[in-house]
Amino acid sequence: MAGEGRRRRGAPFGWYFKVRWGNWSREDGSNTTWQTEIPDRPDLVNRWKRIQRRKRAALADEGLDMDVRWPDHAIHLRLTHQRAQGYEEKKQRSTPIPSTANWDQEVENAYQRRDERSVEDGGPHLRVRRTGSIASIASQRGARTASPAQSITSRDTPFQSSPSVIRKKGRLHKDTPSTSSAWHAAQSSSSIPLLRTSQPPHSVGPSTRSSCTLGDSNVSQATQSVRSRIEAAWSTAAADAMAAEIRIDENIADEDIPSDLKKFTYVEKGYLFDDGLQEVFQVSPDVFTTCDHQRCLEASDCPCQVNSEILDASNRNRYAYCKGLFTFNVPRGAEVIECNKYCSCGRTCPNRVVQKSRDIGIEIFDTKRCGWGARTLTAVPKGKVMGTYTGRLIRREDIDTLPNPHLGYLFDLDCTEVKDDENLGDKYTVDSYTCGNWTRFVNHSCDPNMAVFSVVYDTIPIVNMPYVSFVACEDIPAHTELTIDYQPYWDEDIDATAKHGTERCKCGSQQCRGWYRM
Ligand SMILES: C[S@@+](CC[C@H](N)C(=O)[O-])C[C@H]1O[C@@H](n2cnc3c(N)ncnc32)[C@H](O)[C@@H]1O
């Protein structure tokens, strides 16, 4: 393969490959032809396409603002073919992946088409990496294949709740567990918690106004405008990422809005990076596993999928997702690897779920007992991916330098870490104190309705910078507070009686263990 190009004079419109022949030449010595297809050498065509795709991606990596202003029709008149491709790539990347309204139907259709083609190994397939496999990944060629195949069966530890914890330096509280049934009743009736308890550490609790006067009413106007301004800024950021609405409960008053939150930057997707970390995150295109599919349904022939380590009881590979919902088959220490920007599958590929935009509206509200919280505006089905924990990506070793208020908003990217590993090198944490999204308002519950899992799609697992994805672990009615367990493996990881560093839990669930750890 020597090149490719758009329609040539006198030829039908379309893309052409330029082929240089080794065993043939014209009388004048030239040995290239232009052809629309090379049916007997699909390997050459696929390799060529892969290389071109990487070139396009590299062009787009240079910056998304370049050239995008040009109208579509001018592109092939004014630019080389490669630049036109780069333009297409940039255009696509500048547009976040919208959530598709009829996505379920599309996937359903695709499954149907697959079944019609009678593909033998059509079973769901999960691409993951397990704890401890980092070295073997690195030993493979540039980690392209993500991990060695390593079968586990359904008897292995199932996905539980969260591979990571939100950290906070806390002092020991000796209070007894909170077992309020009012909270539980409030939850099950889809309303907000009713109990009023002590203020959370950074005073975002209930208003301290004791009386209401005309002056207060004016203050209330100003309050509204502060809340509205923050809400507008966050909504704009969410809309830019094509995400659903983000509201701040209108009952939140001016004096209940912490000053730091007025400077808070809402980041719906992705990370902001501490010095030098973006370079770590942005790995070379060569090390990605990629596929040439339009859709990644046939696990047996998708290069991204074949190295899955997760098998079901019948030894068949599984997808992490089924019809857009998380399957909860990911064991502890595993990461989901979604199709990436170098794959040729489209935006509705069933292996692209977390990277889609959030389509569930969220409201931030005052829980009256745990500070602010986040609740869903609509009913959410079990398995629905709600969003990722965003914020500033920092080195774990830098946590000690952070001011105290940050410590309640840290999320360790520790999914693949071995217990009690003291080495802090190459370990990272997300700090959402000054920037982040609605997930930084998610409170702890001992009976949570969301779980978390780690996922990568724009980097590779070995760099230890996955996204932490929040997923509904049960059907959640509209207007219910969304919660996770900050210490999901507490019964495995720590002696429940050793409560050093724990905080008194006010989740109020019937299963409340009385403490949580940041
Ligand atoms: C990640 S933030 C959650 C959002 C926080 N409520 C706010 O107002 O910004 C974690 C903090 O929320 C509070 N919190 C979360 N879950 C709690 C619980 N179950 N009991 C008591 N406080 C909780 C604690 O103050 C904790 O430091």
Side-chain angles (χ1 to χ4, degrees):
M1 303 282 292
E4 62 180 1
R6 203 79 160 153
R7 176 175 63 172
R8 305 191 74 221
R9 199 178 300 241
F13 185 82
W15 296 105
Y16 286 78
F17 298 115
K18 188 180 187 185
V19 182
R20 180 172 293 120
W21 299 91
N23 52 2
W24 169 89
S25 68
R26 296 187 187 86
E27 279 180 4
D28 63 2
S30 62
N31 64 346
T32 56
T33 59
W34 288 90
Q35 356 220 125
T36 49
E37 51 183 32
I38 312 168
D40 52 335
R41 293 302 303 270
D43 56 322
L44 282 184
V45 173
N46 285 339
R47 186 164 167 270
W48 175 261
K49 283 183 180 168
R50 244 191 329 268
I51 293 168
Q52 296 311 308
R53 207 163 44 243
R54 291 204 177 119
K55 280 188 188 161
R56 286 201 301 275
L59 266 175
D61 282 341
E62 284 171 13
L64 294 179
D65 48 347
M66 268 172 56
D67 304 346
V68 174
R69 66 186 182 279
W70 285 332
D72 276 7
H73 69 269
I75 290 300
H76 61 266
L77 299 176
R78 296 174 54 180
L79 303 176
T80 63
H81 172 54
Q82 194 191 41
R83 283 192 83 185
Q85 287 190 321
Y87 163 80
E88 289 300 335
E89 181 79 17
K90 286 168 208 274
K91 211 169 64 166
Q92 197 172 346
R93 284 213 213 155
S94 332
T95 319
I97 301 183
S99 44
T100 314
N102 60 352
W103 197 80
D104 279 359
Q105 190 54 50
E106 276 198 53
V107 175
E108 193 58 53
N109 295 343
Y111 270 100
Q112 218 168 334
R113 280 198 297 275
R114 180 200 66 185
D115 292 345
E116 281 162 15
R117 289 199 300 272
S118 309
V119 174
E120 211 176 52
D121 176 23
H125 193 134
L126 184 68
R127 297 186 300 149
V128 296
R129 182 180 63 139
R130 301 192 65 194
T131 307
S133 62
I134 299 173
S136 39
I137 293 171
S139 67
Q140 296 187 21
R141 190 187 156 257
R144 284 202 64 213
T145 48
S147 65
Q150 186 181 10
S151 305
I152 65 154
T153 69
S154 54
R155 286 192 308 279
D156 285 282
T157 317
F159 175 87
Q160 290 186 12
S161 187
S162 160
S164 305
V165 287
I166 294 180
R167 305 167 49 115
K168 185 182 177 191
K169 279 181 189 160
R171 63 188 175 82
L172 180 64
H173 290 257
K174 294 207 171 95
D175 309 14
T176 49
S178 159
T179 52
S180 161
S181 56
W183 160 255
H184 193 70
Q187 268 201 321
S188 51
S189 66
S190 313
S191 59
I192 60 170
L194 301 170
L195 286 190
R196 207 180 174 92
T197 60
S198 58
Q199 295 280 328
H202 58 302
S203 74
V204 292
S207 163
T208 49
R209 281 181 298 169
S210 54
S211 63
C212 186
T213 63
L214 190 60
D216 281 326
S217 152
N218 290 335
V219 169
S220 171
Q221 289 288 327
T223 298
Q224 193 72 352
S225 73
V226 172
R227 184 198 63 81
S228 310
R229 265 189 285 129
I230 295 177
E231 187 182 68
W234 294 9
S235 298
T236 305
D240 283 350
M242 293 183 104
E245 67 184 313
I246 177 91
R247 281 193 207 156
I248 300 177
D249 183 11
E250 57 189 24
N251 293 316
I252 288 180
D254 194 9
E255 52 268 47
D256 293 338
I257 298 179
S259 56
D260 286 340
L261 220 47
K262 294 173 191 162
K263 291 176 255 159
F264 180 79
T265 307
Y266 189 89
V267 180
E268 179 70 31
K269 283 268 192 196
Y271 294 134
L272 302 180
F273 294 91
D274 255 7
D275 284 351
L277 293 188
Q278 185 152 22
E279 290 71 31
V280 181
F281 184 87
Q282 277 177 344
V283 293
S284 153
D286 289 339
V287 301
F288 279 91
T289 302
T290 56
C291 63
D292 291 321
H293 294 160
Q294 291 308 304
R295 288 173 189 279
C296 300
L297 292 175
E298 286 90 11
S300 56
D301 59 9
C302 177
C304 303
Q305 307 268 321
V306 286
N307 290 294
S308 168
E309 299 158 5
I310 307 298
L311 307 177
D312 64 16
S314 336
N315 257 14
R316 283 164 32 119
N317 289 319
R318 297 186 292 208
Y319 278 118
Y321 311 115
C322 182
K323 298 184 182 179
L325 298 177
F326 188 62
T327 56
F328 296 92
N329 288 320
V330 180
R332 181 177 185 183
E335 282 170 341
V336 174
I337 306 173
E338 295 196 350
C339 282
N340 58 66
K341 58 187 173 183
Y342 305 108
C343 294
S344 50
C345 50
R347 291 164 172 233
T348 54
C349 165
N351 197 35
R352 297 179 189 268
V353 173
V354 171
Q355 56 194 285
K356 285 195 160 60
S357 307
R358 171 175 57 82
D359 56 2
I360 300 286
I362 298 287
E363 184 171 59
I364 306 304
F365 73 110
D366 186 352
T367 66
K368 308 285 192 215
R369 59 164 70 210
C370 301
W372 286 12
R375 63 185 167 202
T376 169
L377 289 171
T378 53
V380 179
K382 179 178 177 182
K384 178 81 183 169
V385 170
M386 305 289 290
T388 51
Y389 198 82
T390 64
R392 177 163 288 279
L393 195 77
I394 61 172
R395 291 176 182 82
R396 188 79 53 81
E397 62 210 25
D398 291 339
I399 286 179
D400 290 341
T401 65
L402 292 173
N404 221 40
H406 288 241
L407 302 181
Y409 298 89
L410 303 181
F411 211 124
D412 286 347
L413 302 180
D414 60 357
C415 158
T416 56
E417 282 168 27
V418 183
K419 195 181 160 202
D420 298 331
D421 182 357
E422 298 289 318
N423 174 19
L424 295 183
D426 296 337
K427 296 197 172 81
Y428 307 99
T429 292
V430 187
D431 175 6
S432 69
Y433 184 71
T434 53
C435 60
N437 64 15
W438 63 273
T439 58
R440 56 99 75 189
F441 295 104
V442 170
N443 288 313
H444 161 87
S445 170
C446 301
D447 183 19
N449 53 19
M450 287 196 303
V452 302
F453 67 94
S454 289
V455 57
V456 291
Y457 53 85
D458 47 11
T459 186
I460 55 170
I462 200 167
V463 302
N464 283 342
M465 295 176 175
Y467 294 120
V468 178
S469 179
F470 287 52
V471 55
C473 59
E474 61 189 35
D475 290 339
I476 308 174
H479 310 297
T480 308
E481 183 181 3
L482 299 165
T483 54
I484 60 169
D485 189 335
Y486 287 1
Q487 187 102 37
Y489 299 112
W490 64 275
D491 50 347
E492 293 171 30
D493 289 351
I494 52 170
D495 177 358
T497 55
K499 294 191 188 156
H500 176 69
T502 59
E503 304 278 345
R504 182 181 164 217
C505 180
K506 299 174 188 161
C507 78
S509 79
Q510 281 181 341
Q511 285 85 348
C512 183
R513 46 187 188 255
W515 57 268
Y516 70 93
R517 195 193 296 261
M518 298 294 290

